Amino acid sequence: LEFERKYGDEFSCICGIDEAGRGPFAGPVVAGAVILPKGLTIEGLNDSKQVSAKKRDELFDEIKEKAVAYGIGVSSPGRIDEINILQATYEAMRAAIKQMSETKSPDILLVDAVHIPEVQTKQVGIIKGDAKSVSIAAASILAKVTRDRFMIQMDEMYPMYGFASHKGYGSKAHIEAIKKYGPSPIHRETFIKNFID
């Protein structure tokens, strides 16, 4: 709560923003934006990478239930190939803010490590923000669970790639599957061009 306390007197609606899926070879990049009630503590809330999948699912429901407002933005693999992963990440973040703003507009954005272009609201980029800010941690849970659930659905459609186990990241088994079967419709072609002829 260090940053929430730091900005809490000056700003009434503090929004945390984070993304999931910048590195994988397949699937979308997903951003979460969350405004939590002041002083709320959610037990076990931490950077999504430090939390078990089961706990993330529980936190996902609790965050959505208790948040003042939240939004989830998605940029597709095709969009990532078209405009590059960083721009697609910013686009997903802006979509998450826009969706959340339909319920409540934030006064300040606490963002994990980046500065989002084309956003008028004041921003504070925090390195390793998902481990330092409860708002960013909440956003990281929403983004990661949304993305993981999508990749598990895609595993049913394209079982040969093993998406349920690696979620699209470049594991050895995933690379071998790409070489064997070629890309699926949800692969990022700019990420896998070294593995396909």
Side-chain angles (χ1 to χ4, degrees):
L1 289 167
E2 177 196 345
F3 289 93
E4 283 74 10
R5 289 197 184 106
K6 181 177 177 182
Y7 295 105
D9 292 341
E10 194 182 342
F11 301 96
S12 60
C13 278
I14 296 172
C15 170
I17 298 180
D18 200 6
E19 52 68 34
R22 274 174 75 170
F25 293 174
V29 62
V30 178
V34 182
I35 299 172
L36 294 174
K38 272 194 181 177
L40 173 75
T41 33
I42 296 179
E43 203 163 317
L45 187 55
N46 197 349
D47 165 16
S48 64
K49 294 181 281 298
Q50 309 296 326
V51 180
S52 72
K54 181 176 180 291
K55 183 65 178 169
R56 278 199 299 266
D57 281 333
E58 290 168 13
L59 288 167
F60 181 83
D61 295 334
E62 190 174 350
I63 291 161
K64 283 172 69 172
E65 185 190 319
K66 293 182 175 171
V68 173
Y70 68 87
I72 295 167
V74 178
S75 280
S76 70
R79 192 67 179 144
I80 292 165
D81 286 335
E82 194 182 326
I83 61 174
N84 83 40
I85 185 60
L86 184 60
Q87 296 308 319
T89 301
Y90 291 149
E91 211 166 74
M93 287 176 166
R94 287 192 291 266
I97 295 164
K98 185 168 184 242
Q99 188 189 82
M100 181 197 59
S101 298
E102 290 165 14
T103 310
K104 191 88 173 165
S105 287
D107 305 327
I108 184 169
L109 309 174
L110 304 182
V111 191
D112 188 37
V114 299
H115 184 90
I116 312 162
E118 299 166 45
V119 170
Q120 306 311 314
T121 312
K122 178 181 170 64
Q123 297 180 51
V124 180
I126 303 168
I127 304 293
K128 293 195 168 39
D130 44 12
K132 295 176 184 171
S133 154
V134 69
S135 307
I136 296 176
S140 102
I141 297 279
L142 292 194
K144 181 148 180 59
V145 171
T146 300
R147 188 179 187 285
D148 284 358
R149 287 178 180 177
F150 174 80
M151 294 309 291
I152 289 164
Q153 286 176 329
M154 290 300 100
D155 187 66
E156 291 170 18
M157 289 180 70
Y158 311 107
M160 66 285 274
Y161 298 101
F163 290 139
S165 63
H166 53 65
K167 310 296 187 292
Y169 282 87
S171 68
K172 189 165 181 281
H174 187 190
I175 292 167
E176 312 247 308
I178 294 167
K179 287 176 175 171
K180 184 173 179 183
Y181 301 107
S184 74
I186 65 155
H187 275 99
R188 305 171 180 180
E189 296 198 0
T190 47
F191 281 52
I192 60 166
K193 55 181 185 286
N194 295 341
F195 309 121
I196 48 179
D197 299 330

